C-alpha cells in the first residue's frame, strides 16, 4: 500500500502580501474621506490627516507592489492576470505619489485636485484588492 498526498496548489497572494494589500485600501479610503471632510468644514486638521493617510497608503501599496512583482515571476499559468494586477498597483502607487505632492501644498491650494485624486486612488485600490483576492483561484481547483 502506497499513500501519496497531494498538496493543493495555492495561486492567491501569500499572507504577507494579502495583509499589505488589504492595509492600503482603508488608508486611501480614509484619505478620501478626510479630503471630503476638509471640503465641507475647512478645518485644516482634515488635510493633515489626509496627508498622513496617503503616506501610510503609499508604504503599504509600495510593499504590496514588490510582492506583486515577485508574483509575476512565480506564477506560471496566470501570468496575464498577474501583470494586470501589478500594473494596476503601479498606477495606484504613482497616482498616490502625485496626490502626496498635491497635499504638500497649503490646504487651500490642494482642494479640488486633492479630493479628486483621493477618490480615484481609493477606487483603484479597491479594484486592486478585488483582483488580488477574489479573482484568483485557490486550492488547485478550476
Amino acid at each position: 500500500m502506497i499513500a501519496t498526498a497531494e498538496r493543493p496548489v495555492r495561486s492567491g497572494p501569500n499572507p504577507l502580501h494579502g495583509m499589505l494589500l488589504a492595509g492600503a485600501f482603508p488608508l486611501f479610503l480614509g484619505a478620501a474621506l478626510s479630503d471630503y471632510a476638509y471640503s465641507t468644514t475647512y478645518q485644516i486638521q482634515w488635510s493633515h490627516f489626509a496627508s498622513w493617510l496617503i503616506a501610510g497608503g503609499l508604504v503599504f501599496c509600495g510593499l504590496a507592489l514588490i510582492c506583486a512583482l515577485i508574483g509575476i515571476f512565480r506564477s506560471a499559468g496566470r501570468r496575464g492576470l498577474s501583470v494586470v494586477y501589478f500594473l494596476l498597483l503601479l498606477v495606484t502607487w504613482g497616482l498616490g505619489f502625485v496626490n502626496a505632492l498635491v497635499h504638500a501644498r497649503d490646504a487651500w491650494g490642494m482642494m479640488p485636485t486633492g479630493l479628486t485624486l483621493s477618490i480615484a486612488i481609493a477606487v483603484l485600490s479597491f479594484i486592486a484588492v478585488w483582483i488580488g483576492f477574489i479573482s484568483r483561484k485557490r486550492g488547485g481547483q478550476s
Side-chain angles (χ1 to χ4, degrees), residues 33 64 90 132:
L33 293 174
L90 185 64

Side-chain angles (χ1 to χ4, degrees), residues 61-138:
C61 188
L63 293 173
L65 187 64
I66 293 170
C67 291
L69 181 64
I70 294 169
I72 288 175
F73 298 111
R74 292 187 74 197
S75 65
R78 307 204 31 109
R79 191 167 305 239
L81 182 63
S82 296
V83 169
V84 169
Y85 171 65
F86 172 76
L87 291 175
L88 184 64
L89 277 177
L90 185 64
V91 168
T92 303
W93 191 89
L95 283 177
F97 185 74
V98 170
N99 197 14
L101 294 176
V102 167
H103 278 78
R105 294 190 266 176
D106 66 341
W108 288 99
M110 69 157 202
M111 197 17 50
T113 309
L115 178 61
T116 306
L117 280 174
S118 292
I119 291 171
I121 293 164
V123 169
L124 285 173
S125 179
F126 178 75
I127 294 169
V129 169
W130 185 268
I131 290 174
F133 285 118
I134 301 300
S135 67
R136 293 184 179 209
K137 298 174 183 163
R138 287 177 118 10

Side-chain angles (χ1 to χ4, degrees), residues 22-84:
F25 172 66
L27 292 169
F28 286 135
L29 180 64
L33 293 174
S34 295
D35 280 341
Y36 176 74
Y38 175 72
S39 71
T40 57
T41 63
Y42 297 112
Q43 295 288 327
I44 294 181
Q45 70 180 0
W46 293 113
S47 68
H48 295 301
F49 289 161
S51 297
W52 281 105
L53 289 168
I54 291 167
L58 284 174
V59 169
F60 275 83
C61 188
L63 293 173
L65 187 64
I66 293 170
C67 291
L69 181 64
I70 294 169
I72 288 175
F73 298 111
R74 292 187 74 197
S75 65
R78 307 204 31 109
R79 191 167 305 239
L81 182 63
S82 296
V83 169
V84 169

